[in-house]
Structures are given as structure tokens and as C-alpha cells.
Amino acid sequence: MNIVLLGAPGAGKGTQAAKLVEEYELPHISTGDMLRAAVKEGTPLGKKAKSFMDAGDLVPDDVIIGLVTERLQGKDTEKGFILDGFPRTSAQAVALDAELSKLGRPLDAALLIDVDPEVIVNRLTSRRMCKECGYIGTIADETCPKCGGEMYQRDDDNEATVRNRLDVYEKSTAPLIDYYRGCDLLVAIDGDRDPAVVYADVKKSLGL
Ligand SMILES: [Zn+2]
């Protein structure tokens, strides 16, 4: 099962990916993590990516596609993969499709964990983190339930920042969702429910 994972920051796609990884042993290919690893290891693509990152520029699509293509040669992807963080635009999706078809590994689904932006704003702005152990709780936790540490709100969980991130996501990803719908690959799941219920729906909708 070859899957592209879509969803706004805070929609809970990380939670759903973790469940799929655990149950089906599909590798979770996060392009952000891969970029950081390639830079750290100093691979040829990593060096190329680093030159853009050092200059404060976005890493070009062909470099990221190179990384993904390289990663898909790994034996662990034979059963399938979950691609997270890429593509982010429909142009990238077209380029990815071309590479995947060269590899003979076309996508089976673009899985969208769909949550209303206002629900996400609520979720993220009520999130609190433990200063001591990093536990993530909510505004209802006066102290950390795990270690008793002090809870605080991360800077990027304030409302203005959250709304900005959601706007950026909306602008770049809305056309991508249309693209996958047009390819008949879009599987949209209502993510505003208990994570276990969402997961049951994910499996059913993917025919797993
Ligand atoms: Zn704690």
C-alpha cells in the first residue's frame, strides 16, 4: 500500500501514521526527517540540500524528489510506504507521480485527515507542554500528570501563529487535494473524532 498522507498541522495525521506503521510495518517516510538526516550524513543530495538551506532558500523539488526516490530503493519499502510532508503542491505531486511510475510503484491513495480549521485552532491553542519532561497535555492540566512539572504554552501554539500556519497550509494544499481527487486517489477521513475511531475509518476506507 503506497500512501501519501495529507492533513493540516494539528489534524492528527502523525497519530494515524504511527498506527499504520505499527500495524502494517509500513515505513513512515517524512521528507523533513530525511532532509535533516541526509544533511547530517553528508550524502551528495544532503550536501546539495544544505547549500540551499544555508542560504535560507527552500530546497528545490528535484532535490527532495531525488531523496524520496533514493529512499524508495530501500528494501523496507517493498510492502509499501507512507509519504509524509511531500508533496505540498500539485506541481510536486505531478513530479512525484512521474518518478513513482518510473519505479513501477504508483500511489494507491492520498489519505487526507480532514479537520475543520477552527477545531484545529482550538486543539493547538489549548495545548500545554511540561517544562520538565516534554509531556503534551491541555490547558486543563495545571501541573504535569506524569512528573508534576510546570506546564507552559509553546510559542508556536499561540493563536496568531497557528492561524498563520493553517493559512499557509490551506493555500498550498487545497489545489493538491483537488489534484488527487481528480486522479481518483483521494480518501478523505473526518479527523474530528476519537483517534481510534478515525483509525478504524482509515483502515476501512483503504480496504485494509
Ligand atoms: Zn512532566
Side-chain angles (χ1 to χ4, degrees):
M1 172 81 34
N2 304 333
I3 303 169
V4 160
L5 192 57
L6 303 171
K13 73 192 162 103
T15 307
Q16 297 303 319
K19 287 176 185 287
L20 286 169
V21 167
E22 198 190 334
E23 185 165 357
Y24 298 100
E25 294 174 358
L26 297 176
H28 179 215
I29 303 181
S30 154
T31 48
D33 290 349
M34 274 170 52
L35 264 181
R36 283 184 287 276
V39 168
K40 206 172 152 205
E41 287 160 21
T43 66
L45 279 167
K47 282 182 185 151
K48 204 169 163 193
K50 188 172 187 297
S51 67
F52 291 98
M53 288 154 92
D54 286 347
D57 292 328
L58 284 176
V59 179
D61 293 357
D62 62 320
V63 175
I64 300 183
I65 289 179
L67 272 173
V68 170
T69 310
E70 208 173 75
R71 178 65 183 84
L72 290 177
Q73 320 287 329
K75 265 226 156 299
D76 63 331
T77 68
E78 276 168 9
K79 278 196 284 185
F81 56 84
I82 302 170
L83 192 55
D84 187 2
F86 189 85
R88 285 195 194 277
T89 65
S90 39
Q92 291 177 348
V94 172
L96 177 67
D97 277 353
E99 282 305 317
L100 291 176
S101 96
K102 268 191 234 161
L103 291 170
R105 318 271 301 272
L107 288 179
D108 296 304
L111 177 64
L112 170 66
I113 307 301
D114 201 15
V115 179
D116 184 270
E118 288 309 313
V119 173
I120 293 179
V121 169
N122 232 318
R123 263 190 202 176
L124 293 185
T125 58
S126 63
R127 190 160 71 171
R128 297 293 181 272
M129 200 184 239
C130 174
K131 270 189 178 164
E132 304 300 324
C133 72
Y135 169 83
I136 294 172
T138 71
I139 199 164
D141 299 311
E142 279 181 31
T143 55
C144 174
K146 278 188 134 178
C147 76
E150 190 186 333
M151 302 293 283
Y152 75 107
Q153 182 178 38
R154 293 190 337 187
D155 287 344
D156 54 354
D157 283 345
N158 78 61
E159 186 170 340
T161 309
V162 167
R163 287 198 184 277
N164 186 44
R165 270 157 63 202
L166 289 174
D167 279 350
V168 169
Y169 167 80
E170 185 67 33
K171 284 199 185 87
S172 61
T173 311
L176 183 60
I177 290 170
D178 289 341
Y179 172 80
Y180 282 125
R181 190 178 284 121
C183 301
D184 217 14
L185 286 174
L186 188 72
V187 175
I189 303 291
D190 173 9
D192 188 16
R193 295 172 293 171
D194 181 83
V197 176
V198 174
Y199 185 56
D201 201 1
V202 164
K203 290 207 293 184
K204 189 169 151 243
S205 303
L206 293 175
L208 290 170

